[in-house]
Amino acid sequence: MGFVAWWYAWTHALLYMSPYVYSAIGIAISIGVSVLGASWGIYVTGSSLIGAAIKAPRITSKNLISVIFCEAVAIYGVIVAIILQTKLEAAKQPFHPDSMRAGYSLFTSGIIVGFANLLCGLCVGLIGSSCALSDAQNSTLFVKILVIEIFGSALGLFGVIVGIIMSSQATWPAAVVA
Amino acid sequence: MSTAAVFNGDEVAPFFGFIGAAAALVFSCMGAAYGTAKSGVGVASMGVMRPELVMKSIVPVVMAGVLGIYGLIIAVIISTGINPKSKAYYVFDGYAHLSSGLSCGLAGLSAGMAIGIVGDAGVRANAQQPKLFVGMILILIFAEALALYGLIVGIILSSRAGQSRAD
């Protein structure tokens, strides 16, 4: 056993969980919750787009770009999950404080990317649905509402940036030299 | 006894520090997403009748986007401040970073909700009564100031990290 026994702090309970638990859950959240956000945005946009296109079929091909903006959010999640899992290595000293810190950083990196992409996908989906509905009534509005969608998609990028900065903290300690 | 030959500080402290950075970004993004979506839907609905006002009405969307930037700033400040190899990272620092992230994030969430609802109502009203534009901007500025308060307190709190001991 190689960790400091903080027997008088409730945070001692956190030290009993292996860094693999934290890393694995973080990686799963980064891909799973990102895809949840992308799908939420796609169904909100897609249903409005199809409904509005009944009377204005010209809008379909242009407004697919809103669906693609939502899909990009899922791609961010895939990329970051792949990056995070390359940082997950077989820990030579599983309960060394540096290993615990690496585990925590992968966990929070995954949470940041996952939830930022969830919010971004939902936001872009709502605006995309309004874009389709207003484009069906007045075709000059498409490009103007697209500007608002671009502001929305920046949120997913913020999450990816911070997630990648934080995952650079995931340095595992080397093996103990006997 | 500890095998922490190179690690200075307390092992569980980085958990709270990282969760603080996550809270800063995720909650600010919640506020930014709500503000962007709510006012964006208002702009799209309004623009059907008055397309020439759409570009002026993008102001609430830009103000909501700034909230995401505030969260990004605090998250980067916190995650670059967690460096146990160069400077000891105690639970005091972990909790300071947690409070910094939560204050910036939750303030950004609330400001985003305010900006969204005011922006939505404001752009729709501006389309019918053009004199209301200045009034809408004034109310949006008051709402944005809330997120700024959270950013200021977050920066003050994260500067407290590292001050728990005299060394």
Side-chain angles (χ1 to χ4, degrees):
Chain A
M1 301 276 271
F3 53 90
V4 173
W6 269 69
W7 51 270
Y8 52 88
W10 66 272
T11 51
H12 188 46
L14 291 170
L15 291 175
Y16 276 117
M17 292 200 281
S18 139
Y20 294 139
V21 173
Y22 290 108
S23 317
I25 291 181
I27 295 170
I29 288 180
S30 87
I31 177 65
V33 178
S34 299
V35 170
L36 177 64
S39 69
W40 200 336
I42 289 177
Y43 89 66
V44 171
T45 295
S47 50
S48 298
L49 172 58
I50 292 178
I54 294 174
K55 294 286 178 168
R58 59 179 167 82
I59 66 167
T60 14
S61 38
K62 267 200 310 185
N63 285 97
L64 282 177
I65 200 169
S66 306
V67 175
I68 292 175
F69 268 121
C70 294
E71 182 91 18
V73 154
I75 305 282
Y76 295 157
V78 172
I79 291 175
V80 173
I82 292 182
I83 290 178
L84 291 181
Q85 63 87 28
T86 58
K87 297 202 182 278
L88 178 65
E89 45 181 75
K92 315 282 193 310
Q93 308 180 58
F95 284 96
H96 188 278
D98 273 329
S99 297
M100 302 302 295
R101 182 181 57 93
Y104 299 148
S105 81
L106 289 178
F107 176 62
T108 27
S109 186
I111 285 184
I112 285 177
V113 170
F115 284 96
N117 284 336
L118 168 67
L119 298 161
C120 170
L122 185 52
C123 174
V124 170
L126 284 171
I127 298 176
S129 114
S130 307
C131 183
L133 292 170
S134 55
D135 185 19
Q137 302 188 53
N138 187 341
S139 52
T140 60
L141 286 177
F142 175 68
V143 177
K144 298 178 182 173
I145 308 297
L146 208 60
V147 171
I148 303 180
E149 251 183 87
I150 292 174
F151 275 103
S153 69
L155 301 176
L157 279 171
F158 294 162
V160 172
I161 290 171
V162 178
I164 299 219
I165 289 178
M166 191 174 280
S167 72
S168 67
Q169 293 251 10
T171 49
W172 303 81
V176 175
V177 177
Chain B
M1 64 175 196
S2 166
T3 60
V6 297
F7 189 93
N8 300 310
D10 307 323
E11 294 98 345
V12 83
F15 179 79
F16 295 105
F18 288 133
I19 292 287
L25 187 75
V26 171
F27 289 124
S28 302
C29 275
M30 269 188 211
Y34 187 85
T36 304
K38 192 103 167 85
S39 36
V41 170
V43 169
S45 305
M46 176 275 289
V48 171
M49 286 294 130
R50 303 287 303 273
E52 66 275 9
L53 287 180
V54 169
M55 275 313 179
K56 255 181 37 162
S57 306
I58 288 191
V59 173
V61 172
V62 175
M63 296 181 83
V66 170
L67 302 180
I69 306 259
Y70 291 166
L72 177 72
I73 291 173
I74 294 283
V76 172
I77 288 177
I78 291 175
S79 70
T80 51
I82 301 176
N83 199 351
K85 290 189 169 57
S86 67
K87 190 173 192 309
Y89 195 75
Y90 303 107
V91 282
F92 178 86
D93 311 323
Y95 294 142
H97 281 150
L98 173 67
S99 68
S100 161
L102 278 175
S103 74
C104 173
L106 294 174
L109 169 62
S110 355
M113 291 168 68
I115 290 177
I117 296 179
V118 168
D120 182 35
V123 302
R124 289 176 199 259
N126 182 46
Q128 303 186 51
Q129 173 59 270
K131 291 186 185 169
L132 288 177
F133 185 69
V134 175
M136 172 183 83
I137 297 291
L138 277 172
I139 300 176
L140 285 172
I141 289 174
F142 277 109
E144 180 90 25
L146 302 174
L148 200 59
Y149 301 157
L151 176 72
I152 291 172
V153 173
I155 289 186
I156 292 176
L157 282 168
S158 71
S159 70
R160 293 299 310 276
Q163 295 178 359
S164 65
R165 281 147 169 81
D167 48 44

